C-alpha cells in the first residue's frame, strides 16, 4: 500500500493515510517565476507567466521549463480563453494596479507565435473571457484607470474584431465568474450575490437568474461541473467554508447550500478532476484580502453525487493570491505560484492509487456534435464512465475554460462507441481531455480531442439568399426559392428543405402593405400542429444569418425561432409591427445550418433568410 506522509504547517506529522484515500503530493519544484497565470495547451504542456510579459512552458513529462516568445505587451492581469481551434485569446493587460490595457492578442500553440488583434473599447484590468457556442468569445469587466473604473461594456470577439453589447452595459466585479449555460446565454455566477444571464445576441441584454445564498464570494471559485450545474465554493471576507450549487437546467433555478468545506478559505482554486469530482486547494482562512499569516494547506475533494467535501492530503507550500491550479492530461493536478512562491507541486488524486489504469489505444482527433465515434481500448469491459473536460485556463481564482461533459457509450470488443455532446451550448467548440474511467474509479491518461473544430484553411466567401414562398410565386431578384419541399437537392447547386413536406403551408399574400415580395411570401413552421424545421447543407464553419419573419395579414403569432439552437427571433407582432428580423452569428458543425421553432413559439412563420460564411 502506498502511504502519503504530509507535514502540516505547524510541524505536526499528519497521520499516515492511504494514498488511495487521500492522494499524494509530489516534491516541491523550484520554478524561475511565480505562475500567476496558466493554461494547459493541446499538447499537454503548461503555458504560464508571472507579473509581466515573460511566458514559459512547463512539460509535465520531462519537468523541463523553457522560454516562450513574448506577447509584446504586459499580459499580467489579462483574461485568456480558448478559441475553437486551440489558440488562446488574450484580452486586457497591466499598466498599474486598476489600470488595464485595451490590447487583444492570440497565442498560437501550434506555431508558437503571437498575433496582435484589434484593440477593445477601453482598458481591461482583471476581465473575464468566456468562449461562446459559436466560437466567439465574450469579454466582460476589467478596469481602466487608477481609480479602478469599471469597463461596463461587454464585447464579443467575432474572429476579426469586436462587437459591442451596448444594450448590456453594467458595472461588474473584477475577474467575474462566467460560464456558458445550456440555453446559450452566459451565466454570471458571482462573486456578487445577484446571479444573472447575459444574452449575447444583438446588442446584448442582462436578466436576473437568482440570488446566491452567501452574499459576496470574492476570491472564492465557481466550477461548471456538468452542463448547467455550477458549484460556488468559499470566498468572501472574512472568508467562508460554505458552498452552494445551482442547476440552470431547472425551470426556476435556485441556489442550494451544499458541503461545507472543513474550514474557511478565499484565494482558492477549485479544479475538476478526471473523475468529475472537484479538488479545492490553497487560499487563506483569516480576514483580509490575502492574509499571509493564515495559509490553508488542506486539500478537499467535493463529490458531485453526495455534494459533500472530504479532506485529503495537505500540500506543502502556501498557494494564495496569484496562484494557479490545472488538471493535467495524466489526471494529476499542477498547483503553482502565489505571491512569494516561485514553486509548484503536483497532486496525485486517490484514483491514481486504486489499481491499473485503463488505456486509450486510439481516439479520433476531432468529433462532431451528436455523432458517435469510436475509441480503442483493451479495457472496454471494465469502463464504467467516459467524460471530456475542457483544457483549463486559469488565474486569480477563475478558470475561464474548464467544464465537463459525461458521454454515453456502448461497449465493443476492444473499443467503445461514444456519443459526442449534443450541441455547442453544452460543450463549446475547442479542445477537451477524454478520460475513460474503470470500475475502480481509475481514469485513463487523457486523449486530447477537438470538439466541433473548424478548419483553419481559408474558404471562399459563400452567400445564400433564400425566399420562402409557393412554388409558382414570383422569386425576388437575387434569391433562390424554397417552396416547402422536403430536404433534398434543389437542382440549383444547393441542398436544402424541410423535415416534412411543407409545400401546402406556403403563402403569397399579395398584400398592399408588404414592403416587397420577400415580406409578402412566407412558409408556416407550425401549421396543423407540425414542428417544421428547415436545413441548408453547408461546409462546417461560422455563418452570419439574417432572418426575417412575419405576415402582412395576420398578427396572432408568437415568433420564436432558433438558428443552430441560438434564439434569433423572439417577438410578438401587433397590427402596427408585423415583421421582425435579427442577424446572428452561429457555428455549423454538422454540415447543416438549421432553422427551427424555439420553445414557446406559436404559429411561427418565416419570410426569408440571408446566410453568409464569415
Ligand atoms: Cu493580480
Amino acid at each position: 500500500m502506498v502511504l502519503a506522509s504530509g507535514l502540516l504547517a505547524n510541524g505536526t506529522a499528519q497521520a499516515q493515510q492511504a494514498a488511495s484515500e487521500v492522494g499524494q503530493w509530489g516534491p516541491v519544484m523550484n520554478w524561475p517565476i511565480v505562475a500567476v497565470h496558466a493554461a494547459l495547451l493541446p499538447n499537454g504542456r503548461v503555458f504560464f507567466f508571472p507579473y509581466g510579459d515573460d511566458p514559459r512552458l512547463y512539460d509535465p513529462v520531462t519537468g523541463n521549463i523553457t522560454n516562450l516568445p513574448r506577447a509584446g505587451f504586459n499580459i499580467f492581469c489579462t483574461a485568456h480563453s480558448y478559441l475553437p481551434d486551440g489558440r488562446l485569446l488574450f484580452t486586457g493587460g497591466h499598466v498599474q494596479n486598476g489600470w488595464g490595457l485595451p490590447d487583444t492578442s492570440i497565442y498560437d500553440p501550434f506555431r508558437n507565435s503571437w498575433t496582435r488583434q484589434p484593440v477593445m473599447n477601453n482598458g481591461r484590468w482583471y476581465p473575464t473571457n468566456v468562449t461562446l457556442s459559436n466560437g466567439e468569445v465574450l469579454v466582460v469587466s476589467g478596469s481602466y484607470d487608477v481609480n479602478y473604473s469599471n469597463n461596463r461594456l461587454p464585447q464579443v470577439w467575432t474572429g476579426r474584431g469586436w462587437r459591442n453589447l451596448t444594450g448590456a452595459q453594467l458595472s461588474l466585479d473584477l475577474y467575474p465568474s462566467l460560464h456558458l449555460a445550456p440555453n446559450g446565454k452566459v451565466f454570471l455566477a458571482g462573486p456578487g450575490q445577484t446571479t444573472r444571464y447575459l444574452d449575447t445576441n444583438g446588442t446584448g441584454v442582462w436578466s436576473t437568474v437568482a440570488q446566491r445564498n452567501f452574499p459576496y464570494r470574492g476570491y472564492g471559485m465557481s466550477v461548471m461541473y456538468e452542463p448547467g450545474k455550477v458549484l460556488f465554493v468559499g470566498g468572501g471576507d472574512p472568508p467562508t467554508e460554505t458552498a452552494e450549487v445551482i442547476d440552470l437546467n431547472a425551470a426556476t433555478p435556485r441556489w442550494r447550500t451544499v458541503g461545507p468545506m472543513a474550514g474557511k478559505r478565499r484565494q482558492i482554486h477549485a479544479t475538476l478532476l478526471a473523475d468529475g469530482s472537484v479538488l479545492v486547494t490553497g487560499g487563506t482562512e483569516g480576514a483580509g484580502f490575502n492574509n499571509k499569516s493564515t495559509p490553508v494547506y488542506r486539500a478537499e475533494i467535493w463529490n458531485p453525487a453526495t455534494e459533500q467535501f472530504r479532506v485529503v492530503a495537505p500540500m506543502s507550500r502556501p498557494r494564495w493570491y496569484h496562484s494557479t491550479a490545472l488538471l493535467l492530461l495524466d489526471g494529476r493536478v499542477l498547483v503553482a505560484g502565489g505571491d512569494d512562491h516561485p514553486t509548484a507541486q503536483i497532486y496525485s488524486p486517490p484514483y491514481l492509487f486504486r489499481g491499473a489504469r485503463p488505456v486509450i489505444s486510439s481516439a479520433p482527433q476531432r468529433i462532431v456534435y451528436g455523432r458517435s465515434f469510436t475509441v480503442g481500448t483493451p479495457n472496454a469491459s471494465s469502463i464504467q464512465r467516459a467524460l471530456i473536460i475542457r483544457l483549463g485556463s486559469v488565474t486569480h481564482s477563475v478558470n475561464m475554460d474548464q467544464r465537463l461533459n459525461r458521454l454515453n457509450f456502448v461497449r465493443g470488443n476492444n473499443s467503445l462507441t461514444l456519443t459526442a455532446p449534443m450541441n455547442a451550448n453544452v460543450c463549446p467548440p475547442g479542445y477537451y481531455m477524454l478520460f475513460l474511467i474503470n470500475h475502480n474509479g481509475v481514469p485513463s491518461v487523457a486523449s486530447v480531442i477537438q470538439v466541433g473544430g473548424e478548419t483553419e484553411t481559408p474558404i471562399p466567401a459563400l452567400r445564400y439568399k433564400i425566399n420562402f414562398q409557393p412554388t409558382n410565386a414570383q422569386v425576388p431578384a437575387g434569391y433562390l426559392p424554397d417552396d416547402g419541399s422536403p430536404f433534398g437537392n434543389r437542382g440549383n447547386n444547393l441542398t436544402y428543405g424541410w423535415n416534412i413536406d411543407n409545400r401546402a403551408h406556403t403563402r403569397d399574400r399579395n398584400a398592399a402593405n408588404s414592403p416587397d415580395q420577400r415580406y409578402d411570401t412566407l412558409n408556416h413552421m407550425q401549421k396543423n400542429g407540425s414542428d417544421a424545421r428547415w436545413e441548408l447543407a453547408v461546409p462546417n464553419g461560422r455563418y452570419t444569418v439574417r432572418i426575417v419573419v412575419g405576415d402582412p395579414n395576420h398578427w396572432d403569432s408568437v415568433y420564436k425561432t432558433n438558428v443552430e439552437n441560438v434564439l434569433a427571433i423572439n417577438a410578438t407582432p401587433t397590427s402596427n409591427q408585423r415583421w421582425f428580423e435579427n442577424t446572428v452569428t452561429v457555428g455549423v458543425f454538422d454540415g447543416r445550418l438549421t432553422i427551427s421553432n424555439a420553445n414557446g413559439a406559436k404559429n411561427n412563420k418565416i419570410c426569408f433568410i440571408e446566410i453568409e460564411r464569415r
Side-chain angles (χ1 to χ4, degrees), residues 28 65 104 121 144 156 162 435 442 474 484 557 560 569 587 593:
V28 173
I65 292 176
T104 308
N121 69 312
Y144 57 82
V156 173
W162 291 101
F435 291 102
V442 180
Q474 177 212 327
S557 296
K560 289 178 184 283
I569 299 284
L593 187 130

Side-chain angles (χ1 to χ4, degrees), residues 76-77 125-126 321-322 396:
F76 176 46
C77 309
W125 188 85
Y126 285 34
Y321 189 45
H322 291 146
H396 289 84

Side-chain angles (χ1 to χ4, degrees), residues 178-228:
L178 299 178
H179 306 277
L180 179 65
N183 61 6
K185 296 178 185 177
V186 172
F187 179 60
L188 171 72
Q193 188 169 17
T194 301
T195 66
R196 308 172 195 266
Y197 277 136
L198 174 57
D199 183 338
T200 58
N201 287 313
T203 56
V205 61
W206 289 98
S207 56
T208 300
V209 175
Q211 298 293 113
R212 257 203 349 272
N213 295 319
F214 190 85
Y216 185 80
R217 289 190 180 272
Y219 290 91
M221 188 152 161
S222 70
V223 182
M224 186 173 273
Y225 59 96
E226 276 195 47

Side-chain angles (χ1 to χ4, degrees), residues 487-507:
F487 184 83
N489 188 330
R490 291 280 86 87
N492 54 15
N493 294 323
L494 292 181
T495 296
Y496 58 83
W498 297 83
N499 60 324
I500 57 174
D501 188 340
N502 214 20
R503 281 179 289 186
H505 307 145
T506 56
R507 298 289 183 270

